[in-house]
Structure formats: structure tokens, C-alpha cells
Amino acid sequence: MRITVLGAGSWGTTVASVLTRRDHESLIWARSPSTADEINAKHSNERYLEGFHLPVRLRATADLAEAAAHAELLVVGVPTGAFRATLEQVRRDLHPWIPVVSLSKGLERDSLLRMTEVIKEVLPGHPAAALTGPNLAKEIMAGMAAATVIATEDLTVATAIQQVFRRGMLRVYTNHDVIGCEVGGALKNVVAIATGIAQGLGVGDNTRAGVISRGLAELTTLAVAMGGEPSTLAGLAGMGDLVATCISPQSRNRHVGEQLGRGRRLDDILAEMGQVAEGVKTVHAAVRLADQHGLAMPITRTIHRVVTGDITAERAYGGLLRTHPAGHESEPG
């Protein structure tokens, strides 16, 4: 199968490598011509996957029209802020009816749409799916065992895409609950910032465990309010992705939180990273969704106040010392 992956970041490049090793004719689109040249000539992407050798058969291009025309399956791994605009640019050159798979974990800030909803809006008639789960790029590139989920309402389509992605130690499951899978993938980044702050402040593993647990309850509450299924959030797209993102030093969102916990300015952190931490943008949309559904979501709201500069990271964790009694564990707060 001819497969195009849009986005040559760490995860997009990893997915393109996996697909190439499955003997698919994979083409990756890089925004930077120099990145495309490096992939083609040196079979590497040192900015995002330092030290890893990419498959020789993996081709790259900086020509978006060429990338779109190549695809019998389109995989989109660009940041959520560029997701809609990128789809609009490829629409003219894309073959009809081919499936479009989102790798991007977040929410569109203005519309509050999930990425598969953006696909359906910009590319009507194309089956839309999301690939999500605890998928740290460098571990998959290193051949370590991992599990992921392909989510789409049509399980016939999901099964077909599952066969495309499955390879070696990467175990691919299907799920019909696209809402639950995408909300879990988006909101876990916000909780990872909170967990990172705990790490930066040195408040202890008990505190981090509490934040992760209550964060899971929080994103489950929102997913269910939006029409998702609670069981989804107990699986790979919820708890699995949340744990990986909150505990791994490879997590960009955890890194942002950790640096905030050490007293650094958000603008400085993001400038130094040179990569997107989706939780910083997602938290704005998440707060608006919480308002729409009448949900408390205290962790999300607190991180929003930190990101907007309303309170410091240290003050945010002072909220753990509130004197009013906690309610039942199934309740928010």
C-alpha cells in the first residue's frame, strides 16, 4: 500500500518507519526541505530521533501536493494547531474516499473539535480514525514492546487499518469509541503537566500518584459527558497513555510541568524545547468544554491558571492543602 505520513516529528517519523518496515511504500512529508533531504540522503532525523537509523526505503518530500497524491492511506501527525490548515492544503490532491488517520492528540482551540471531527469537516467522505495509546516514539524505534489503539466508528475500517499498522512488538487493538480515545489522548497531556510540576517541586511520589489518579477520574468525567464510554478510559487510550506520559522523561508535557515547577517561565521553556507540548494548548479548550458540560475539573482548571500566568506552579500545589473534606472518590475534586 502507498502510505503518506504528514509530519516529520518524532512520532510521525516513527510511524512512517514502522509502516516502511511492514513493506508499505511510505512517503513522509516534512515541512522543512532540509529535514526531507536528511531523511533521503542520510536516513536519519537527528533533530527528533537522535541516534536512530531510519529505513533506507523510507522516502521524504517537502512537496505537500506530491505527498497527498501518493497516498492510498493518509496519516496525519502535524501539531493540532496546524491540523486543519494542512488538511485544507492536501484536499485538492488527495484521492477520493481513502482513510485518514490522525496521530495528533489534542483539541482544536477555537472550535473545540477533536481531530477526527476536523477530518470529517475538511475531508467529507473520507473515513476518519485516530491512532492513540502509550506510544513513546523512541521506545518503539528501539523495538521495545508497545500497544496502541486504532479508533473509528466503523470496525471494518478499523480492522483493515489494524492490519496495516501491526508489526513485530507493536500490538494494535481496535476501538469503536472514538470520543473516549481522543479525549483521553488530549487530556492526558494536561495531567502530565500537573504531574511534571509535582516532579519539579519535589513534592513526592505519593502526590504524583494522587494527581495521576484524580487526573484519570477527571478526563473520564469529561469523556463520558461528551458521549464516550468510561471503560475506554480504563484502557490504553486512557490510563495507559496517561501513565506513560506522566512518568516518562521523554514526555514533552511532563517536561514542561517539571520546568514550571522549578520556577521557569513558560515562554522560555517552550522556546528552548523547539517542539510542541500539546497540553499547553489543549488546556484552554478543555476548560471551555468543562464549562459547557458543567464540570468542576479542578486539575485542568488549575493548570489553565498556571499556563495563563494567573498563579505560580508552587501556588497551584498549595491547593492540595485545602481544609474542606474530600467527598466520595467517584466525585470530582
Side-chain angles (χ1 to χ4, degrees):
M1 178 178 286
R2 296 195 311 274
I3 301 175
T4 291
V5 177
L6 302 181
S10 56
W11 186 220
T13 305
T14 297
V15 168
S17 298
V18 168
L19 292 170
T20 303
R21 292 182 176 121
R22 279 274 289 152
D23 294 327
H24 296 294
E25 189 180 333
S26 301
L27 177 66
I28 187 168
W29 173 75
R31 186 178 301 277
S32 166
S34 62
T35 299
D37 290 342
E38 179 190 352
I39 293 171
N40 288 327
K42 299 181 179 179
H43 312 299
S44 65
N45 186 348
E46 287 296 311
R47 177 180 177 184
Y48 294 105
L49 291 171
E50 183 180 0
F52 287 96
H53 186 75
L54 307 181
V56 173
R57 292 179 55 248
L58 174 61
R59 293 195 305 114
T61 182
D63 185 333
L64 196 52
E66 177 192 0
H70 170 86
E72 293 174 329
L73 172 67
L74 184 67
V75 180
V76 188
V78 299
T80 56
F83 201 92
R84 179 182 292 272
T86 303
L87 292 185
E88 289 173 344
Q89 290 178 70
V90 303
R91 180 169 49 198
R92 182 185 63 182
D93 299 293
L94 202 61
H95 298 298
W97 316 119
I98 68 168
V100 181
V101 179
S102 167
L103 304 180
S104 306
K105 297 175 180 178
L107 301 166
E108 195 170 47
R109 182 165 176 172
D110 293 333
S111 70
L112 310 184
L113 294 178
R114 296 172 285 107
M115 293 304 102
T116 58
E117 292 179 306
V118 176
I119 292 170
K120 291 177 181 178
E121 192 169 281
V122 179
L123 301 174
H126 290 266
L131 186 77
T132 188
N135 305 142
L136 297 166
K138 291 182 179 179
E139 291 187 3
I140 292 176
M141 284 295 293
M144 298 180 185
T148 191
V149 175
I150 188 74
T152 184
E153 292 92 347
D154 188 334
L155 287 180
T156 302
V157 174
T159 301
I161 298 174
Q162 176 189 45
Q163 299 305 311
V164 172
F165 278 87
R166 186 181 63 189
R167 183 184 186 276
M169 300 294 283
L170 180 62
R171 190 169 182 85
V172 184
Y173 293 84
T174 60
N175 197 318
H176 63 279
D177 180 17
V178 184
I179 295 173
C181 286
E182 287 193 289
V183 172
L187 268 292
K188 57 92 182 181
N189 287 323
V190 176
V191 180
I193 293 174
T195 312
I197 291 174
Q199 179 74 16
L201 290 170
V203 295
D205 291 340
N206 286 335
T207 302
R208 289 197 299 160
V211 171
I212 293 171
S213 299
R214 297 310 300 162
L216 177 61
E218 198 161 295
L219 60 89
T220 301
T221 300
L222 179 60
V224 171
M226 293 174 64
E229 301 173 12
S231 59
T232 300
L233 284 304
L236 291 167
M239 182 178 68
D241 203 3
L242 179 67
V243 170
T245 308
C246 287
I247 69 173
S248 174
Q250 297 180 44
S251 166
R252 293 191 292 269
N253 293 281
R254 176 187 179 274
H255 173 78
V256 168
E258 186 172 351
Q259 297 302 307
L260 287 170
R262 293 177 179 177
R264 298 187 62 197
R265 294 177 63 253
L266 179 61
D267 289 344
D268 293 338
I269 299 166
L270 297 178
E272 179 183 84
M273 287 173 61
Q275 298 186 51
V276 175
E278 289 284 6
V280 174
K281 296 182 178 180
T282 297
V283 70
H284 301 284
V287 166
R288 289 176 58 196
L289 285 170
D291 289 340
Q292 285 184 9
H293 293 283
L295 302 176
M297 297 187 67
I299 294 174
T300 300
R301 294 183 186 279
T302 299
I303 296 306
H304 183 253
R305 295 185 69 192
V306 173
V307 166
T308 56
D310 185 39
I311 59 174
T312 64
E314 186 173 12
R315 184 182 166 193
Y317 268 73
L320 294 171
L321 304 179
R322 290 176 298 183
T323 55
H324 70 265
H328 192 281
E329 190 181 11
S330 64
E331 299 171 349

